[in-house]
Amino acid sequence: MANTKTPLIFEIIGECKTTKARVGRMTLPHGPVDTPVFMPVGTQGTLKGMLPEQLKAMNLQIMLSNTYHLGTRPGPEVLKKAGGLHKFMNWDRNLLTDSGGFQMVSLLKLAEITEEGVKFQSLNEHKNEVMLTPEHSIEIQNAIGADIIMQLDDVVKTTVPDKERIEESVHRTTRWLDRCIKAHENPETQNIFPIVQGTLFEDLRRISVSEHIKRDVNGFAIGGLSGGESKDDFWKMVNICTDLLPKNKPIYLMGVGFAVDLVVCSALGVDMFDCVFPTRTARFGCALLMTGQINLRKKEYAMDFNPIDKDCTCNTCRNYTRAYLNGIVTDLTVACHLLTEHNLAFQLRLMRTIRENILNGTFKEFVQDFMANLYPDKDYPSWIQDSLSTVNINLT
Ligand SMILES: [Zn+2]
């Protein structure tokens, strides 16, 4: 019998016998989530060009919303009055919110990181300073009411070589985690995930994991990757973290969404992913395929009366041609919608295929076929060969 006071139950329902991949079912307050899962990113409580009812029809089980945007508009007061973001945006499935820190770093002029929090220069005319503390981040995320909320972390870019600074960020992130847990008002309905930091230093990643697993939390995130480091460094850090983190809780790799990364990192044992890429690239006319991506603005598609992908069952592929999209793809909002729907359907289909193959015991063969499709000349990048060979898949 499920404990109704646990806002996250994670059951592993299948494990790959070759790799570290597994299929799980995560039960959250707003329903089940099948893992490995890709979570698309909505801003201002919406996925650009898609309605919540369309997302439900596509069987999307969880999406991400940005705390920074929601904290600014509509703001925590409106969200509280509305009874939380689920009600406000008419989405009765699961939501995950970030801490707001990363968005602030990318959108505002970063003034200073202190023990108290992250200080920014506001971009309005008064140029006043804004402080995001762990407590403030949780206060906004409590008002939003997402099923999974993220701790505020001290993020150092992977391209920063200063180990002393990175070590400080690891320990500060743990201290901020404790402040977040203390400030959290809804532990029975919202899960806080800690974020493992340490950039590209294995010893610091170990420290970060060993501290975070002492806390009473229901899942973990791997942060600070996918920010300009080499692919070789990227997969090694993911692999170390999935080795060290407990197997009975979901592992979320932040900011990763390219198809090839989803396949490799699922093999390395990651359960959850998010990225703006599939929906953002749609707005530039890019459609995702199992063999890579195509830009529908190109002249070569002007007379191409095939669907984007003949194997895709999404509404766009069933009803529209590449030629139709070619003429309107970046000009009309309807085209933005059509392409966003396809790219989202692509991500969902890829993850469903990964899960089915893990459960059927054919994941290894699936990965080999997927890579052969993507690299028909078999000129596999070395990072893909190396990462897969650590989990016993050889590409020949
Ligand atoms: Zn499609």
Side-chain angles (χ1 to χ4, degrees), residues 312 314 317 342:
C312 178
C314 85
C317 291
H342 167 76

Side-chain angles (χ1 to χ4, degrees), residues 308-309 312-318 341-343 345-346:
I308 297 172
D309 179 350
C312 178
T313 56
C314 85
N315 175 59
T316 308
C317 291
R318 275 187 284 118
E341 177 161 357
H342 167 76
N343 283 357
F346 172 86

Side-chain angles (χ1 to χ4, degrees), residues 81-359:
K81 267 229 157 85
L85 183 60
H86 290 91
K87 272 193 190 152
F88 190 58
M89 68 179 281
N90 186 32
W91 175 249
D92 59 7
R93 295 197 178 170
N94 296 296
L95 285 170
L96 182 149
T97 42
D98 59 19
S99 67
F102 184 77
Q103 286 279 312
M104 287 179 86
V105 170
S106 46
L107 294 173
L108 304 181
K109 192 168 165 250
L110 179 64
E112 203 186 345
I113 296 177
T114 65
E115 190 58 30
E116 196 189 350
V118 192
K119 208 193 282 176
F120 300 88
Q121 197 109 64
S122 166
L123 291 183
N124 67 27
E125 63 208 59
H126 308 295
K127 291 233 166 52
N128 41 359
E129 284 184 340
V130 188
M131 171 71 92
L132 183 69
T133 63
E135 291 78 12
H136 187 45
S137 169
I138 296 301
E139 186 193 349
I140 304 171
Q141 293 191 79
N142 280 162
I144 295 169
D147 305 86
I148 297 174
I149 64 179
M150 301 307 295
Q151 77 153 117
L152 183 70
D153 55 344
D154 180 3
V155 186
V156 182
K157 283 190 180 142
T158 49
T159 43
V160 170
D162 180 356
K163 191 169 178 186
E164 215 170 299
R165 169 69 189 102
I166 298 161
E167 186 161 6
E168 176 190 53
S169 83
V170 165
H171 293 295
R172 180 173 287 147
T173 295
T174 304
R175 292 193 293 273
W176 284 4
L177 170 63
D178 288 335
R179 283 168 60 186
C180 285
I181 292 173
K182 198 167 167 219
H184 184 22
E185 287 187 350
N186 309 323
E188 290 181 7
T189 51
Q190 294 184 279
N191 301 279
I192 288 191
F193 276 24
I195 302 173
V196 175
Q197 287 294 352
T199 68
L200 306 179
F201 292 96
E202 182 176 340
D203 54 341
L204 297 182
R205 289 274 173 190
R206 281 182 186 277
I207 292 171
S208 188
V209 170
S210 70
E211 284 305 316
H212 287 178
I213 60 179
K214 292 178 194 160
R215 273 72 184 172
D216 181 21
V217 291
N218 295 326
F220 298 91
I222 303 168
L225 290 176
S226 206
E229 73 281 359
S230 75
K231 282 297 208 179
D232 223 30
D233 286 331
F234 163 77
W235 79 259
K236 282 178 186 159
M237 288 302 126
V238 173
N239 193 43
I240 287 164
C241 291
T242 55
D243 272 346
L244 297 171
L245 287 165
K247 303 282 171 280
N248 61 344
K249 294 181 180 180
I251 298 172
Y252 164 29
L253 177 57
M254 302 175 80
V256 168
F258 292 137
V260 68
D261 295 345
L262 297 174
V263 171
V264 169
C265 295
S266 293
L268 297 177
V270 174
D271 306 298
M272 303 164 68
F273 304 89
D274 82 283
C275 192
V276 292
F277 163 72
T279 44
R280 179 175 288 166
T281 203
R283 298 199 291 276
F284 297 103
C286 263
L288 305 179
L289 299 172
M290 290 293 173
T291 48
Q293 33 179 304
I294 56 170
N295 196 314
L296 290 166
R297 283 178 303 179
K298 285 194 177 161
K299 267 202 188 113
E300 60 189 280
Y301 302 114
M303 295 288 271
D304 185 342
F305 298 100
N306 292 299
I308 297 172
D309 179 350
K310 64 175 171 36
D311 298 323
C312 178
T313 56
C314 85
N315 175 59
T316 308
C317 291
R318 275 187 284 118
N319 297 303
Y320 300 93
T321 63
R322 292 175 172 190
Y324 173 74
L325 293 163
N326 170 264
I328 59 169
V329 78
T330 49
D331 301 329
L332 300 183
T333 50
V334 66
C336 161
H337 162 79
L338 291 171
L339 209 45
T340 300
E341 177 161 357
H342 167 76
N343 283 357
L344 209 48
F346 172 86
Q347 299 289 104
L348 294 174
R349 175 160 61 113
L350 176 64
M351 300 319 288
R352 194 171 59 240
T353 311
I354 289 173
R355 292 193 300 268
E356 284 168 0
N357 280 285
I358 297 169
L359 290 175

Side-chain angles (χ1 to χ4, degrees), residues 19-35:
T19 69
K20 296 198 276 176
R22 69 256 191 95
V23 171
R25 174 155 270 222
M26 186 164 63
T27 306
L28 291 166
H30 291 83
V33 175
D34 298 305
T35 65

